[in-house]
Amino acid sequence: MPHHEMHFLQRSGWLRASVLGANDGIISTASLLMGVAAAGADNSALLVTGVAGLVAGALSMATGEYVSVSSQTDIEQADLAREARELQDNPDSELRELTGIYIARGLSPDLAQQVAQALSHHDSLAAHARDELGLHEVNQAQPLQAALASALAFASGATLPLLTAWLAPHAQVQSWLIFSTLPFLGLLGAVAARAGGASVCKGVSRIVIWGALAMAATALIGHWFGVHA
């Protein structure tokens, strides 16, 4: 039976975009609502602010991810095209370069040359893309996937503080935002850490600390403008 392994690296593309989107959706929307609530806004203003923040943030995340990952894809494609030209114009030189890479990784010169010749005969461009450029289908950039994952994750994350602001008594909206947002941020950090094979404690602590700081900062700014309005 063939042996198959599932590595955490295979999740890096969608996991990064999803965690970043959800994290930003929760923190930015909750912080925005905290600041507006601290300034003395009424329920209608809070809800309009939250919905506007959700839509603008989701579209911004999608655009940013698409542009960023598309730029990465353009660089990868340009490098592959350059490597293809080198293979066509200087195949012997490229074979020596690939052999040198395998020697540097610990193979004997004879074995390195045999491996380089075999892989070049099978698919020379793929061999150079993987071993010279470090490109592999597992970590290949996917602009549309990253954009959609970021937008959906942001909207999902932003929904929590928005619903909290809608359901909470107006006088207690800030307290409700704190006690609903921070535990959910901790849960998100734990899930992301487990999915990525990282430390759960580190994943929870860093996301909760930075989320609390962001909410505190916007609350202070909102309070200051509300007092001095």
Side-chain angles (χ1 to χ4, degrees):
M1 293 291 292
H3 177 63
H4 297 287
E5 291 184 354
M6 180 65 180
H7 294 284
F8 295 115
L9 184 61
Q10 294 172 313
R11 305 171 178 173
S12 61
W14 63 263
L15 180 61
R16 172 188 168 274
S18 298
V19 171
L20 179 62
N23 177 47
D24 197 19
I26 296 173
I27 293 178
S28 62
T29 306
S31 300
L32 184 64
L33 292 172
M34 285 285 289
V36 174
D42 58 20
N43 284 335
S44 297
L46 277 176
L47 293 179
V48 170
T49 299
V51 172
L54 186 155
V55 174
L59 293 177
S60 176
M61 287 291 293
T63 301
E65 280 291 328
Y66 187 84
V67 171
S68 175
V69 179
S70 293
S71 298
Q72 179 183 341
T73 302
D74 292 341
I75 294 173
E76 293 175 357
Q77 294 300 321
D79 280 342
L80 286 174
R82 186 180 301 110
E83 196 64 30
R85 290 194 299 270
E86 290 294 330
L87 286 169
Q88 183 177 1
D89 297 338
N90 303 292
D92 293 337
S93 176
E94 290 298 305
L95 180 62
R96 289 193 297 270
E97 184 178 22
L98 197 60
T99 302
I101 291 174
Y102 297 142
I103 292 174
R105 292 182 179 177
L107 297 183
S108 66
D110 291 339
L111 181 58
Q113 186 174 16
Q114 293 176 26
V115 172
Q117 289 174 339
L119 292 178
S120 296
H121 179 73
H122 175 69
D123 190 336
S124 59
L125 182 58
H128 282 270
R130 180 181 61 252
D131 296 320
E132 181 183 349
L133 302 178
L135 301 179
H136 195 278
E137 60 181 7
V138 170
N139 54 15
Q140 189 175 11
Q142 299 290 339
L144 188 58
Q145 180 191 62
L148 291 175
S150 294
L152 291 174
F154 185 98
S156 299
T159 299
L160 175 70
L162 183 58
L163 285 175
T164 300
W166 179 46
L167 297 173
H170 183 66
Q172 301 174 9
V173 65
Q174 294 182 68
S175 299
W176 278 48
L177 284 170
I178 293 172
F179 290 112
S180 65
T181 299
L182 294 183
F184 200 81
L185 281 175
L187 178 62
L188 175 64
V191 171
R194 287 294 300 273
S199 169
V200 173
C201 183
K202 288 183 179 179
V204 171
S205 59
R206 62 191 174 197
I207 196 171
V208 170
I209 290 173
W210 284 106
L213 289 175
M215 294 172 66
T218 53
L220 287 173
I221 293 172
H223 177 72
W224 189 86
F225 276 100
V227 170
H228 292 81

